[in-house]
Amino acid sequence: MANLKEIRNRINSISSTMQITSAMKMVSAAKSKKAQEAIHAMKPYASTLGNLLKSLKSALGTTNPFLPREKGEKRILVVAITSDRGLCGAFNSTVVKHTLSLLEKYEGKEVEILTIGKKGNDILKKTGKVSRYCEGFFDHMDFQKVATLAQELMNAYTKGTYDRIILVYNSFKNVATQILTEEVFLPLQLTTEEEQEESDFIYEPSAEAIIEGLIPKHLKLQLYKGLRDSLAAEHGARMTAMHKATDNASTLRDELTLTYNKARQTAITNEILEIVSGANALNS
């Protein structure tokens, strides 16, 4: 059994750790609330824009550069979105594992990885498939910066650099649940389970011109929404992880305190026995 000083040092160490994890939980809770508000604010716009594109899909024709290619998919880009910081449970590992599973799924094809987030990049770069690492997106979420990256991805697709671009990230459900999401960024995915009824709307200047202008906005918003979702999910995951860490530390501290009290009581009892034994020896 460890001596009293060692146990007391461990109790102090665990108490200090509890203060850190508790503070991190509160910080993540505040950031998570702001991130959730941003997600809820943009979802109606994103949903309406997506539905509008689906209603206009008949105007796409067959020559739109963002449609699937007949020659098939040989070159694939996986955009893996993780966090810049750790201490958020399995948040990053789920994205990394799924990205690695995509490498196996598309074995025999040219697959590259674009990483957003330091934690995912640190692991995935060991595969030798990471062609680019984008940093600085989560320090200050800026739509213009995200739009620039989305435009670069669109240009790469239209030039034929890639035949398919896939987003992999954790979407936010609630602070305790993050949903691993694999989303096709390009080619356009405008099919629905049920075909929408033809509308009687009159489009000005024309349905073709409108959809040509909406597609870039839709793709930029899709990437921005994925990053926003990932950020909200990250804070929720960290909040949950720090809550569990605080609870575990509290339980361990209570167990060590009980052990310390038992050891201290045993030491006091032994000292009393030694004093009594010594007194009896002197009197005999």
Side-chain angles (χ1 to χ4, degrees):
M1 180 182 294
N3 60 44
L4 292 175
K5 184 178 180 180
E6 290 176 348
I7 298 175
R8 188 165 57 248
N9 288 340
R10 289 187 64 190
I11 292 174
N12 292 334
S13 176
I14 291 171
S15 297
S16 298
T17 301
M18 282 180 61
Q19 293 178 352
I20 295 172
T21 56
S22 180
M24 292 183 67
K25 174 189 171 183
M26 289 188 290
V27 171
S28 293
K31 290 183 177 180
S32 177
K33 184 178 180 181
K34 292 179 65 176
Q36 289 177 52
E37 290 173 352
I39 285 291
H40 293 320
M42 69 179 294
K43 274 187 176 179
Y45 176 75
S47 177
T48 302
L49 183 59
N51 290 334
L52 181 58
L53 279 174
K54 290 174 183 177
S55 68
L56 288 168
K57 66 180 180 180
S58 59
L60 273 172
T62 58
T63 59
N64 190 285
F66 298 114
L67 290 174
R69 299 193 176 103
E70 296 180 357
K71 64 179 182 179
E73 299 171 350
K74 296 181 180 180
R75 295 176 292 275
I76 298 168
L77 177 68
V78 180
V79 181
I81 303 174
T82 57
S83 67
D84 289 331
R85 299 175 180 86
L87 299 177
C88 46
F91 176 83
N92 293 313
S93 62
T94 53
V95 174
V96 170
K97 288 178 181 177
H98 190 73
T99 303
L100 294 176
S101 70
L102 288 177
L103 294 180
E104 296 179 359
K105 178 181 177 180
Y106 294 111
E107 187 176 1
K109 298 183 179 181
E110 299 177 26
V111 183
E112 295 181 9
I113 302 173
L114 184 151
T115 56
I116 301 176
K118 183 177 182 298
K119 291 299 179 180
N121 181 69
D122 290 344
I123 300 174
L124 292 172
K125 66 181 180 182
K126 298 175 183 178
T127 63
K129 297 287 187 177
V130 175
S131 60
R132 183 179 175 186
Y133 166 45
C134 298
E135 57 183 334
F137 280 92
F138 299 117
D139 295 333
H140 176 67
M141 188 66 71
D142 179 36
F143 177 77
Q144 199 56 47
K145 186 174 182 179
V146 177
T148 301
L149 176 60
Q151 187 62 55
E152 292 175 3
L153 295 177
M154 285 186 274
N155 293 340
Y157 182 82
T158 55
K159 290 178 182 177
T161 306
Y162 304 111
D163 300 316
R164 175 176 283 251
I165 300 177
I166 303 171
L167 305 181
V168 180
Y169 62 95
N170 285 302
S171 61
F172 178 84
K173 182 177 181 181
N174 54 56
V175 293
T177 307
Q178 298 79 43
I179 303 173
L180 179 65
T181 303
E182 178 188 329
E183 196 173 86
V184 178
F185 183 72
L186 283 169
L188 285 175
Q189 305 291 307
L190 298 180
T191 56
T192 55
E193 293 181 0
E194 295 182 3
E195 291 295 330
Q196 297 184 351
E197 295 182 3
E198 291 293 330
S199 64
D200 295 327
F201 296 141
I202 298 174
Y203 298 103
E204 180 66 33
S206 66
E208 291 78 9
I210 292 173
I211 199 169
E212 287 293 333
L214 285 181
I215 287 174
K217 293 181 180 179
H218 168 70
L219 292 172
K220 291 173 183 177
L221 188 65
Q222 183 181 359
L223 181 59
Y224 184 66
K225 178 181 173 296
L227 287 167
R228 276 288 183 192
D229 243 338
S230 180
L231 183 62
E234 175 194 345
H235 291 311
R238 184 172 290 109
M239 177 181 168
T240 302
M242 291 301 98
H243 176 74
K244 291 181 179 179
T246 303
D247 288 347
N248 292 338
S250 178
T251 301
L252 182 57
R253 184 188 62 180
D254 292 343
E255 292 176 354
L256 285 173
T257 300
L258 182 61
T259 302
Y260 175 80
N261 291 335
K262 287 181 178 179
R264 184 169 177 271
Q265 186 62 48
T266 300
I268 292 172
T269 302
N270 290 336
E271 289 179 3
I272 293 174
L273 288 174
E274 290 176 0
I275 292 172
V276 171
S277 299
N280 291 334
L282 290 174
N283 293 331
S284 60

